[in-house]
Amino acid sequence: MMMFSSSLQRTCRHVPTVHKTLARYFSSEKSGFVTVSIEEAQSTTAQALKMIGWDDDDASLQAEIMTAAELCGNNQGLVKMYQPSLMAPAEGAGKPTIERDTPTSAVVNANQSPGMLAAVTAADLAASKVLD
């Protein structure tokens, strides 16, 4: 079973519990599709993101998110890597920060980072509040 970070674990309820490979249609003369392992998809995507300016942690998390989207059948996943420059971090982007935190709420500032990174920060914070 593929494990995602706590906030992504529940995003794909309809995905079968065991995925050993990730298959999508590409132009291949032999079979019409290419099979790529999840690990290879994540590591290759993370490497590509690092090449366009992402740090190690954010690249790994974003690659995990994009692979999860692909596994859910969402076309907002790995297809974005056909034009990696579109995934480059915004100039001056920072890490998401928590600007206000109460026992029942919080304000997360994305600081121009990609929305999914801020969403994971917010979801992890919300989950921790429930568990406290």
Side-chain angles (χ1 to χ4, degrees):
M1 180 171 148
M2 181 162 175
M3 296 303 294
F4 298 111
S5 61
S6 61
S7 35
L8 293 175
Q9 218 164 350
R10 295 167 296 281
T11 58
C12 302
R13 289 186 271 271
H14 63 280
V15 175
T17 54
V18 178
H19 279 284
K20 294 194 178 179
T21 59
L22 178 68
R24 283 285 173 231
Y25 291 96
F26 294 96
S27 57
S28 171
E29 292 179 7
K30 291 185 178 184
S31 63
F33 63 93
V34 174
T35 302
V36 178
S37 73
I38 293 168
E39 293 78 18
E40 183 180 359
Q42 283 182 330
S43 68
T44 302
T45 301
Q47 287 173 351
L49 291 169
K50 289 178 207 175
M51 290 172 63
I52 57 172
W54 291 62
D55 68 27
D56 289 345
D57 291 336
D58 289 350
S60 294
L61 179 58
Q62 186 66 34
E64 183 180 340
I65 291 166
M66 293 169 76
T67 304
E70 196 72 26
L71 289 169
C72 290
N74 183 320
N75 67 355
Q76 295 297 308
L78 299 177
V79 71
K80 291 180 176 182
M81 294 314 294
Y82 280 113
Q83 291 185 301
S85 61
L86 296 176
M87 291 296 298
E91 183 141 344
K95 299 268 189 185
T97 56
I98 301 165
E99 292 194 346
R100 188 178 65 223
D101 192 7
T102 73
T104 59
S105 67
V107 174
V108 176
N109 182 343
N111 291 311
Q112 298 299 313
S113 68
M116 290 308 298
L117 300 181
V120 168
T121 301
D124 286 347
L125 182 58
S128 73
K129 288 181 179 302
V130 170
L131 297 173
D132 288 344

